[in-house]
């Protein structure tokens, strides 16, 4: 039996006197989609930020492919190169796109891969060849996102849905082990939400390993293999979509989902 691609054990995170993550533990398998739901302030985004090393947990263990990326019981390296190497296991798609306004869609997707290539040995000797490879990769990803005719557009020339699809392509460019979404449709008008959810659904059908923090309950129920409901920094309930949405056991889960009973 294959080991889980991600193992999270006893993660805790405090800001000042506020305990945001209280004791988070879960595992997920390669090629599966995990939806994380819960009220605003329940700790969902902080959990994603800890996984992506944008925040440092106070304690706990994070493993990817059986490699320990974080162990709160030992001193952690603050070397930027070490942290960046850990981040490469994850791709993060933010709520508000976070595209660089001075770069085209193609350039936004190419940027991280080019920066990484420049640090490698032999870059100067194969600069043109490497640039062409990265450009072709970016163009293929943008075409997959339905943006073949928008590659030369700058972010301000794109709709919110198009910008978010560029952001998804950018996250995929580094071939992360796990693709993370933090409320990917929260900054979009309702009519643009569907096009982004369609892309995520297609990624799930291709067995892309994903963690999706979302308020789109119907989508979370339909796309996920496993669902976690967070409340007040804890995992209140988790299980299959059918178990969590149709047969919740915890009163807090029932209260939360009652608002979406018509979905």
């Amino acid at each position: 039996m294959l080991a889980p691609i991600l193992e999270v054990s006893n993660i805790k995170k405090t800001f000042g006197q506020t305990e945001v993550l209280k004791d988070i533990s879960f595992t997920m398998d390669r090629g599966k989609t995990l939806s994380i739901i819960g009220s605003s302030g329940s700790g969902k985004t902080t959990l994603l930020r800890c996984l992506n090393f944008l925040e440092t947990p106070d304690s706990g263990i994070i493993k990817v492919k059986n490699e320990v990326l974080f162990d709160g019981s030992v001193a952690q390296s603050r070397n930027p190169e070490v942290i960046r190497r850990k981040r490469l296991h994850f791709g993060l798609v933010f709520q508000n796109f976070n595209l660089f306004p001075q770069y085209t869609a193609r350039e936004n997707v190419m940027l991280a891969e080019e920066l990484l290539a420049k640090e490698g040995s032999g870059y100067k000797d194969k600069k043109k060849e490497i640039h062409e490879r990265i450009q072709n990769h970016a163009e293929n990803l943008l075409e997959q996102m339905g943006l073949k005719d928008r590659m030369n557009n700058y972010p301000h020339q794109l709709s919110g849905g198009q910008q978010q699809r560029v952001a998804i392509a950018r996250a995929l460019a580094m071939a992360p082990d796990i693709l993370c979404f933090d409320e990917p449709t929260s900054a979009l008008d309702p009519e643009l939400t569907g096009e982004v959810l369609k892309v995520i659904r297609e990624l799930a059908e291709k067995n892309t390993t994903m963690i999706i923090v979302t308020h789109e309950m119907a989508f979370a129920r339909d796309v996920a293999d496993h669902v976690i409901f967070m409340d007040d920094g804890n995992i209140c309930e988790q299980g299959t979509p059918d178990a969590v949405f149709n047969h919740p056991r915890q009163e807090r889960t029932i209260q939360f989902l009652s608002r979406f009973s018509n979905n």
Side-chain angles (χ1 to χ4, degrees):
M1 184 175 179
L2 294 175
I5 191 170
L6 174 65
E7 299 174 76
V8 176
S9 305
N10 309 114
I11 291 294
K12 297 181 180 181
K13 180 63 180 177
T14 300
F15 294 105
Q17 299 299 312
T18 304
E19 197 174 9
V20 179
L21 299 177
K22 297 182 177 178
D23 195 7
I24 302 298
S25 298
F26 66 91
T27 64
M28 67 179 300
D29 294 328
R30 185 186 301 275
K32 301 299 184 181
T33 297
L34 167 66
S35 289
I36 302 179
I37 61 174
S39 301
S40 296
S42 60
K44 306 183 302 297
T45 292
T46 299
L47 175 57
L48 277 193
R49 289 179 64 84
C50 286
L51 293 178
N52 284 270
F53 297 95
L54 296 174
E55 300 287 353
T56 303
D58 299 324
S59 60
I61 296 174
I62 299 172
K63 291 184 183 180
V64 174
K65 297 191 296 188
N66 217 30
E67 176 188 352
V68 177
L69 300 186
F70 176 83
D71 183 346
S73 66
V74 299
Q76 298 295 302
S77 171
R78 296 188 179 183
N79 185 315
E81 185 176 339
V82 172
I83 295 172
R84 184 178 60 193
R85 198 160 55 240
K86 292 178 180 180
R87 285 177 180 156
L88 289 174
H89 290 282
F90 298 89
L92 179 59
V93 179
F94 298 89
Q95 295 181 30
N96 295 308
F97 326 136
N98 286 8
L99 299 178
F100 293 101
Q102 70 272 34
Y103 297 132
T104 64
R106 181 195 287 108
E107 290 167 340
N108 264 282
V109 177
M110 293 174 62
L111 185 60
E113 199 171 357
E114 282 207 303
L115 289 173
L116 192 63
K118 287 178 180 178
E119 296 177 359
S121 60
Y123 174 78
K124 291 183 179 179
D125 297 332
K126 297 182 178 180
K127 182 177 179 181
K128 183 178 179 180
E129 178 185 330
I130 292 172
H131 177 81
E132 288 180 354
R133 175 181 56 77
I134 293 172
Q135 180 171 298
N136 289 336
H137 186 209
E139 291 176 354
N140 288 336
L141 287 170
L142 287 168
E143 188 170 350
Q144 289 175 34
M145 296 297 116
L147 295 170
K148 184 177 181 179
D149 59 344
R150 294 287 186 268
M151 295 185 188
N152 294 318
N153 288 53
Y154 290 89
H156 75 273
Q157 297 171 317
L158 302 171
S159 71
Q162 290 168 340
Q163 289 185 62
Q164 191 61 298
R165 283 183 280 155
V166 173
I168 294 171
R170 179 179 61 182
L172 287 169
M174 300 304 293
D177 294 306
I178 302 164
L179 185 59
C180 302
F181 294 87
D182 185 15
E183 298 288 0
T185 60
S186 66
L188 300 178
D189 295 333
E191 65 185 50
L192 298 177
T193 294
E195 66 187 57
V196 172
L197 296 183
K198 178 176 180 289
V199 167
I200 299 174
R201 191 184 302 276
E202 289 170 352
L203 290 171
E205 290 171 356
K206 294 176 181 177
N207 296 321
T208 306
T209 308
M210 295 187 290
I211 299 175
I212 306 170
V213 167
T214 183
H215 286 303
E216 300 282 346
M217 292 299 107
F219 179 73
R221 179 187 59 208
D222 295 342
V223 79
D225 299 289
H226 195 79
V227 177
I228 285 176
F229 169 59
M230 289 186 66
D231 183 59
D232 192 29
N234 294 295
I235 293 179
C236 184
E237 189 156 355
Q238 62 176 309
T240 64
D242 178 65
V244 173
F245 283 98
N246 299 328
H247 308 285
R249 294 173 298 171
Q250 303 299 322
E251 183 60 32
R252 183 66 188 93
T253 316
I254 295 169
Q255 292 173 358
F256 176 80
L257 291 175
S258 66
R259 291 179 284 166
F260 306 97
S261 58
N262 293 324
N263 285 352

